[in-house]
Amino acid sequence: MGTSPFYVTTPIYYVNAEPHLGTAYTTIAADAIARYRRMTGHDVRFLTGLDEHGQKIAQAAEEHGMDPQAWVDSIAPSFTEAWKMLGISYDDFIRTTEERHKRGVAAFWTKLHDEGHLHQGHYEGWYCVPDETYWAEDQLEDGMCPQCGREVQQIREDNWFFKLSGFGPRLLEFYAEHPEFVQPETRRNEVVSFVTGGLKDLSISRTNFTWGVPLPFAEGHVTYVWIDALLNYITALGYGSDDPADVERFQRYWPAEYHFVGKDIIRFHCVIWPAMLMAAGIEPPKSVFAHGFLLTKGEKMSKSKGNAQTPASLVGRFGVDAYRYYFLRDVSFGHDGSISMESMVQRYNGDLANDWGNLCSRLFNMTEKYFEGRVPALPDPAHETADDATMRAIAGSLPETYEDHMRRLDYSAALDSAWELIKFANRYIENSAPWTLAKEGDTVRLAAVLYNALEAVRIAALFTAPVMPNTSAEVWRRLGLGDITQVTDILAAAEWGGLPEGSSVVKGEALFPRIYEEE
Ligand code: ME8
């Protein structure tokens, strides 16, 4: 707690095509932790952005008959618009063609050059343009890229190299001392065994095309796109600038708490990146979390496979909060997950329409009907029933359970714990049958039941807010409460009894109108 800094990043996405469900997935996951940490009082800085250099982008621009800068400028808005639609609360958005980034890249590689971490050499080998990755002859599979199975091209160039080969022992020592650096653990094992197998020096420059940041000390060389891209995490904070505001920002937020990445780019983030930082005398990030792939019909969803879907159609159908909920609840973070329309409809109707939406409408309706839309008083604890106590206990343990899950980025389990309260509140209403109490004229018990259930709703809205910010804000509004995004102490906010007596409750439309399968 307190105002400790919390810096979280997504990969910067290639602007060779518009964002799709896969890129949205990482971004939503990072957004949910950013939102939650703001609610636990952290000073959050959430960075996302675009990777705009390299051969792949230059080719995409050429295919469209455009100059690379004009091309990236034309695609960039599709990302900022998609993130706006998905409620992504980033604090900074970096594009690698920005001056602040190019300046930082040049400063970084000049420093490493001056300090003897580079050497000139000849590169002869293979290159996968779609993955922007070098491969040695013996790594190819049937002559194709071992990662994506696509064609590779041969390159022979005089390049500059980063002396990565010398960093093996330091990296292994670092992984051993910081077991949380690579998460989840399966990925850590993969990284450790890769480094144990020995590292080769890394070619950091290219000469056969020009769309990149020029290496200041080597005429005609542009930086290899990956070692330009990785630096975004520090150039966005101000690395490479002497402006006091930049220096202060960098000191405040670095090292990052989390880099969120897909498992496809783990070696860049867990081997090359920390080695680059060690060479420059900068601390590596605290943790890189690699999530799995979204699969459709058993295949990785990707732009190049042509099975990539844009978020807009699903958001149009289900709404943005249901979209965010589905991916974070249904796919276990860190594992591959199959997604389908059927399972999305099921989650929507079951968890959202039936459990959460229905709970809210019933309660808001009954408050209007029985108490003229005013929250009754906090009930007298002397008359607490066993069910009342159970609900209070579930709500009371939620903050800690939720925090435990979120600390491990287990979104699915965190949502599950919020659902325990939502489900119990539904059962509580069934068991207490407020409609019968009303008929019998037992206003005291009726008031107690409604207060308790409304209070459960208020607390459930707090813990679903990181994933479903719009719904939670709406629930709080309908409960006559303030702006939920202003909550910076979720523990205090979640204390039982926080719902003020007399607060005016608004019925409103269904939060998640049921979807019929035939639609
Ligand atoms: O790799 N399932 O950019 P990129 C889940 N520019 N996540 C997916 C996914 C899927 N099917 N497909 C893509 C790059 N992703 C570099 C990054 S960072 C310094 C440079 C997500 O546009 C996942 O996060 O190819 C993956 O790592 C990222 O998109 C790749 O995005």
Side-chain angles (χ1 to χ4, degrees):
M1 299 285 159
T3 51
S4 45
F6 187 92
Y7 182 38
V8 56
T9 67
T10 73
I12 48 170
Y13 304 108
Y14 288 125
V15 282
N16 61 327
E18 295 189 358
H20 60 87
L21 300 189
T23 42
Y25 178 60
T26 320
T27 315
I28 288 170
D31 184 66
I33 195 70
R35 285 178 183 268
Y36 176 58
R37 286 297 163 217
R38 290 189 193 108
M39 295 178 87
T40 55
H42 288 77
D43 171 9
V44 171
R45 190 157 185 94
F46 172 18
L47 173 74
T48 187
L50 299 175
D51 193 351
E52 303 191 332
H53 288 129
Q55 217 171 334
K56 165 151 87 169
I57 307 296
Q59 275 179 8
E62 201 180 315
E63 279 161 22
H64 290 82
M66 285 168 87
D67 157 77
Q69 187 66 53
W71 164 254
V72 298
D73 288 345
S74 75
I75 298 286
S78 67
F79 281 85
T80 46
E81 280 159 20
W83 300 159
K84 192 166 173 213
M85 174 185 68
L86 292 171
I88 306 303
S89 61
Y90 57 79
D91 299 290
D92 193 4
F93 189 93
I94 188 154
R95 298 179 54 188
T96 54
T97 50
E98 282 174 68
E99 217 34 62
R100 60 171 171 159
H101 177 72
K102 292 194 274 190
R103 178 185 57 204
V105 172
F108 185 92
W109 289 108
T110 302
K111 178 178 165 71
L112 262 57
H113 173 253
D114 294 350
E115 291 176 5
H117 289 290
L118 311 182
H119 67 82
Q120 272 180 296
H122 181 73
Y123 181 81
E124 200 164 339
W126 299 89
Y127 195 77
C128 170
V129 176
D131 286 341
E132 298 280 15
T133 304
Y134 296 102
W135 298 108
E137 178 87 34
D138 61 358
Q139 290 177 302
L140 301 183
E141 282 172 13
D142 296 329
M144 300 290 188
C145 169
Q147 181 145 303
C148 68
R150 284 171 289 201
E151 266 181 35
V152 284
Q153 57 173 240
Q154 195 166 33
I155 43 181
R156 287 193 189 91
E157 286 181 2
D158 287 328
N159 290 342
W160 279 85
F161 286 76
F162 168 47
K163 297 179 187 167
L164 179 65
S165 58
F167 281 88
R170 268 181 82 179
L171 285 169
L172 290 171
E173 193 182 323
F174 178 72
Y175 304 142
E177 279 170 9
H178 300 89
E180 71 296 343
F181 174 66
V182 189
Q183 294 186 55
E185 199 171 336
T186 43
R187 298 289 156 227
R188 196 166 94 83
N189 299 338
E190 180 188 318
V191 167
V192 169
S193 81
F194 177 75
V195 175
T196 310
L199 298 172
K200 292 199 178 87
D201 288 349
L202 176 75
S203 165
I204 60 154
S205 70
R206 299 293 307 275
T207 52
N208 69 338
F209 70 103
T210 56
W211 185 236
V213 183
L215 268 189
F217 48 86
E219 175 108 31
H221 290 242
V222 292
T223 52
Y224 165 41
V225 62
W226 263 102
I227 55 95
D228 152 359
L230 287 162
L231 287 166
N232 91 89
Y233 302 128
I234 58 173
T235 59
L237 292 177
Y239 175 85
S241 153
D242 311 327
D243 185 314
D246 290 328
V247 172
E248 197 190 318
R249 193 180 320 101
F250 180 68
Q251 277 172 351
R252 174 148 187 81
Y253 293 103
W254 192 259
E257 203 72 31
Y258 286 115
H259 289 324
F260 277 53
V261 298
K263 65 180 186 181
D264 50 335
I265 54 176
I266 193 148
R267 284 185 197 170
F268 292 105
H269 283 84
C270 298
V271 181
I272 296 174
W273 180 225
M276 278 166 60
L277 290 167
M278 284 170 180
I282 300 171
E283 236 184 296
K286 291 185 201 159
S287 186
V288 177
F289 193 103
H291 63 70
F293 289 148
L294 298 182
L295 311 173
T296 46
K297 301 194 173 90
E299 275 218 324
K300 181 194 174 193
M301 174 175 285
S302 74
K303 303 171 245 198
S304 58
K305 288 211 172 88
N307 62 354
Q309 209 179 330
T310 61
S313 58
L314 292 177
V315 169
R317 186 72 201 91
F318 295 92
V320 56
D321 281 12
Y323 177 103
R324 294 168 57 111
Y325 176 78
Y326 172 69
F327 287 97
L328 294 184
R329 174 68 191 77
D330 221 49
V331 179
S332 164
F333 203 61
H335 297 96
D336 289 354
S338 291
I339 51 165
S340 71
M341 202 53 136
E342 292 73 30
S343 61
M344 195 162 177
V345 171
Q346 243 171 34
R347 278 277 171 210
Y348 179 94
N349 282 338
D351 302 0
L352 300 179
N354 283 356
D355 295 344
W356 186 213
N358 206 21
L359 174 67
C360 294
S361 350
R362 285 166 107 186
L363 280 169
F364 299 164
N365 265 321
M366 287 192 280
T367 313
E368 187 154 282
K369 190 162 160 195
Y370 303 135
F371 293 96
E372 290 164 351
R374 298 276 163 194
V375 172
L378 179 70
D380 180 354
H383 299 125
E384 191 172 68
T385 67
D387 257 9
D388 296 351
T390 304
M391 189 145 74
R392 206 163 43 78
I394 295 175
S397 63
L398 179 54
E400 199 181 317
T401 318
Y402 189 90
E403 166 68 28
D404 276 354
H405 295 313
M406 287 300 257
R407 205 177 293 136
R408 287 179 291 104
L409 300 176
D410 189 344
Y411 298 104
S412 204
L415 286 165
D416 246 358
S417 63
W419 246 255
E420 240 184 86
L421 180 60
I422 291 171
K423 284 193 160 138
F424 188 81
N426 272 315
R427 220 173 316 141
Y428 175 86
I429 294 175
E430 288 305 319
N431 293 347
S432 329
W435 41 90
T436 311
L437 296 170
K439 228 181 271 168
E440 291 167 349
D442 188 351
T443 335
V444 175
R445 182 64 195 149
L446 177 64
V449 167
L450 283 196
Y451 184 91
N452 289 336
L454 287 167
E455 180 60 341
V457 163
R458 184 186 71 85
I459 294 170
L462 278 169
F463 290 91
T464 48
V467 175
M468 298 194 286
N470 304 300
T471 309
S472 291
E474 179 61 16
V475 167
W476 266 45
R477 255 195 308 276
R478 291 193 197 177
L479 284 170
L481 303 171
D483 179 359
I484 199 168
T485 63
Q486 299 303 309
V487 171
T488 53
D489 184 351
I490 197 169
L491 265 189
E495 260 175 51
W496 189 265
L499 183 61
E501 176 184 355
S503 182
S504 76
V505 176
V506 178
K507 209 161 65 175
E509 301 278 297
L511 293 168
F512 300 101
R514 228 187 134 70
I515 288 179
Y516 294 93
E517 309 265 348
E518 51 288 5
E519 288 178 35

